[in-house]
Amino acid sequence: MTTTHATLAPTIKFPTTQIVIDGVDKRFSTSGQEVVALRGIDLSIRTGEFICLLGPSGCGKSTLLNAIAGFSPPSAGRITVDGVPVREPGPDRGMVFQEYALFPWMTVAKNIAFGLEIKGADRADIERRTALLMEKLSLSDFRDRYPKDLSGGMRQRVAIARILALDSPILLMDEPFGALDALTRRTLQDELLRIWQEDRKTVIFVTHSIEESIYLADRIVVMTYRPGTIKTIVPVTLPRPRDTSLGDFNELKRELSRMVMEEQQRFTDDEIRHAAVD
């Protein structure tokens, strides 16, 4: 694993290490064959840091995120959060999926409040926190609407608000804006950054988009095609808010594009080989 430095502005200092990924492997058995999804992943993530996992399909980004979430434990190695081994999902890690995962029979307000109700929170606290998050994410006018009545962007706002309601210190986000149009995507990127800067939660964000990773991250973890390893870690020291039209932004975009396209070519070659065998 190598580390590439973009020395464009002073690096933000984070106080403590919160998540440690130590020698993690992940293997699956499919159709009688073993697939090595992750191999030898070592990564430390600091409290309040915004990390993007970047790479082509098949590089294990979502697999690693699910391991951190506790949904799919590693085959080897270990993951700790605040020194405690991750063995199952927990309230300290909130997950936002690309598919929104909202309850269609619940209104916006009830979707946001659901987790708090399950936790047995006080009714007044549920109503206060739900109202605060609806205001923060511009959902107040939609509180009594159902998911079917909302655009994709609004549904994703509700999904984010529902996770934020639980006040988990760690947000795990699996391509949450991948299905959205470009303008809605940028709007929600800005909303996410605003919330992150206010609350300083630790964010681990999976993306295929090189530009999105530069726009959001403190560090970008570039992963190799299967078996997924860490190809390089790129600190992004561009000052926020970041202007995607500036030369420094595009210089870093070219550097990352070269690295990611090397892995994308490996993915393409593998697809062709499998097609030939079939």
Side-chain angles (χ1 to χ4, degrees):
M1 181 185 74
T2 59
T3 301
T4 301
H5 293 276
T7 55
L8 300 170
T11 302
I12 297 173
K13 302 297 183 182
F14 297 92
T16 57
T17 296
Q18 185 175 38
I19 302 169
V20 176
I21 302 165
D22 183 13
V24 162
D25 294 356
K26 183 64 180 181
R27 297 181 294 274
F28 297 100
S29 292
T30 176
S31 302
Q33 293 186 324
E34 184 179 77
V35 175
V36 181
L38 298 172
R39 177 179 291 162
I41 301 292
D42 293 310
L43 179 65
S44 294
I45 299 169
R46 298 179 288 269
T47 302
E49 194 171 16
F50 200 127
I51 294 287
C52 278
L53 303 180
L54 176 68
S57 297
C59 73
K61 304 182 299 296
S62 295
T63 301
L64 180 56
L65 199 73
N66 284 326
I68 297 169
F71 296 145
S72 180
S75 304
R78 73 171 192 162
I79 299 171
T80 60
V81 175
D82 294 324
V84 179
V86 172
R87 295 192 175 93
E88 60 187 3
D92 55 342
R93 286 152 285 139
M95 188 85 160
V96 180
F97 301 94
Q98 183 175 343
E99 296 82 10
Y100 316 130
L102 301 178
F103 298 118
W105 60 88
M106 289 186 180
T107 64
V108 165
K110 289 187 178 298
N111 262 290
I112 295 170
F114 177 77
L116 292 171
E117 291 174 347
I118 292 297
K119 287 177 66 176
D122 177 79
R123 172 51 57 184
D125 186 52
I126 292 174
E127 292 178 357
R128 179 192 63 79
R129 186 145 183 82
T130 299
L132 178 66
L133 286 166
M134 285 192 294
E135 181 180 356
K136 180 177 282 193
L137 282 155
S138 303
L139 291 167
S140 298
D141 292 341
F142 302 88
R143 62 169 297 124
D144 297 320
R145 301 278 187 91
Y146 290 89
K148 67 180 178 60
D149 302 319
L150 304 176
S151 67
M154 296 305 288
R155 290 178 197 171
Q156 198 58 289
R157 286 174 186 267
V158 179
I160 293 170
R162 188 168 66 180
I163 293 301
L164 291 175
L166 298 174
D167 203 24
S168 302
I170 298 167
L171 295 183
L172 308 175
M173 310 188 80
D174 193 359
E175 295 194 77
F177 309 144
L180 304 176
D181 66 85
L183 292 177
T184 303
R185 186 171 186 154
R186 176 52 51 83
T187 299
L188 285 182
Q189 288 168 352
D190 288 337
E191 290 283 357
L192 176 60
L193 284 172
R194 178 178 60 80
I195 291 166
W196 170 73
Q197 288 172 327
E198 288 174 358
D199 298 344
R200 281 299 173 182
K201 295 181 182 297
T202 304
V203 179
I204 306 175
F205 189 105
V206 166
T207 182
H208 282 96
S209 169
I210 294 167
E211 182 171 299
E212 181 170 63
S213 69
I214 301 170
Y215 194 72
L216 294 175
D218 293 309
R219 288 191 294 159
I220 301 168
V221 178
V222 182
M223 297 185 67
T224 67
Y225 178 61
R226 187 182 309 125
T229 63
I230 295 178
K231 183 182 182 78
T232 190
I233 299 175
V234 180
V236 185
T237 53
L238 292 161
R240 292 186 172 94
R242 291 172 181 161
D243 186 338
T244 60
S245 68
L246 292 181
D248 288 339
F249 191 103
N250 284 292
E251 179 183 348
L252 185 53
K253 186 176 178 179
R254 284 190 294 272
E255 180 184 356
L256 282 165
S257 295
R258 176 185 56 77
M259 290 187 282
V260 172
M261 287 308 299
E262 288 175 353
E263 301 309 317
Q264 180 64 39
Q265 187 60 53
R266 292 180 60 210
F267 169 74
T268 301
D269 292 345
D270 196 39
E271 291 280 282
I272 292 170
R273 279 196 299 272
H274 280 88
V277 169
D278 293 340

